[in-house]
Amino acid sequence: MQQASSLLIRLEYRLAAQLFHARWMTRSPGKHRLTMRLFQRCAEAGHTAALSFYGHMLFHRGNSPQDKAKGARYVLQAAHAGDVHAQYQAGRIYEHGCAQYARREEKAVTWYARAAEAGHELAAERMANAYRHAQLGLPVDSRRAAQWEALAERAQRSEAGEPVASLTH
């Protein structure tokens, strides 16, 4: 039964993602409610991508402090499960702090580094800037800044569809 439930959740997530990106009925409140309800069901079932996406939506666009707190919890759950986008968002949550999670630069660095090493371009750029300008409690280190910048460029190229193997010198 667990496998059938997991299949249903994956199907619901795909439907929600398609509804979210569909151009038809873009201003339909009913479509919006259905889409968000599907994302919520998937997130509550522990679907990692749903935790990441729905958590991001709640954290940045939630109407209440409770929504924002739930969004932050979902993002952090997805980050712990290995979702690269959630890892970047976890870095932002800890860099800036919020009601539920205090500002913790060392945790921000950890999450940014994990996301960057997994190929998240913005996370690599944030690490490069942190080393370049002594931010997030890191010292100025031009060598490490250059390493993170190279990683950001590699992530950008792989995102553009260029073969990653050709990037090594």
Side-chain angles (χ1 to χ4, degrees):
M1 189 64 182
Q2 177 71 20
Q3 191 174 21
S5 174
S6 175
L7 176 62
L8 179 62
I9 293 300
R10 289 194 314 265
L11 289 172
E12 284 184 7
Y13 179 78
R14 287 187 62 186
L15 174 61
Q18 288 176 351
L19 284 171
F20 184 79
H21 294 293
R23 294 192 182 275
W24 55 274
M25 294 184 2
T26 54
R27 301 207 187 276
S28 168
K31 175 192 157 201
H32 177 74
R33 279 192 304 276
L34 172 62
T35 304
M36 291 302 115
R37 221 176 10 254
L38 287 170
F39 278 129
Q40 180 182 10
R41 281 177 42 97
C42 295
E44 288 173 354
H47 188 278
T48 302
L51 285 165
S52 176
F53 182 81
Y54 187 64
H56 178 84
M57 296 288 287
L58 283 177
F59 183 70
H60 290 286
R61 295 196 173 116
N63 294 327
S64 69
Q66 292 83 5
D67 284 346
K68 291 180 183 295
K70 183 187 276 188
R73 274 195 320 277
Y74 282 171
V75 166
L76 290 172
Q77 283 178 340
H80 283 286
D83 185 272
V84 175
H85 301 295
Q87 290 173 343
Y88 173 73
Q89 289 301 319
R92 290 185 49 80
I93 288 169
Y94 281 116
E95 178 178 0
H96 302 287
C98 65
Q100 187 177 9
Y101 298 96
R103 187 171 192 270
R104 304 261 320 262
E105 290 180 334
E106 71 281 358
K107 284 191 173 196
V109 168
T110 298
W111 286 115
Y112 283 139
R114 284 183 187 176
E117 289 167 354
H120 196 284
E121 179 186 355
L122 295 175
E125 287 175 0
R126 181 66 188 106
M127 290 297 294
N129 284 331
Y131 275 110
R132 192 171 288 113
H133 303 291
Q135 298 169 341
L136 299 175
L138 299 173
V140 170
D141 186 334
S142 59
R143 184 184 60 79
R144 295 197 87 189
Q147 289 173 334
W148 287 111
E149 190 62 41
L151 194 59
E153 289 173 12
R154 194 173 314 132
Q156 182 182 36
R157 287 182 186 141
S158 69
E159 180 102 358
E162 295 179 25
V164 178
S166 67
L167 300 176
T168 56
H169 300 294

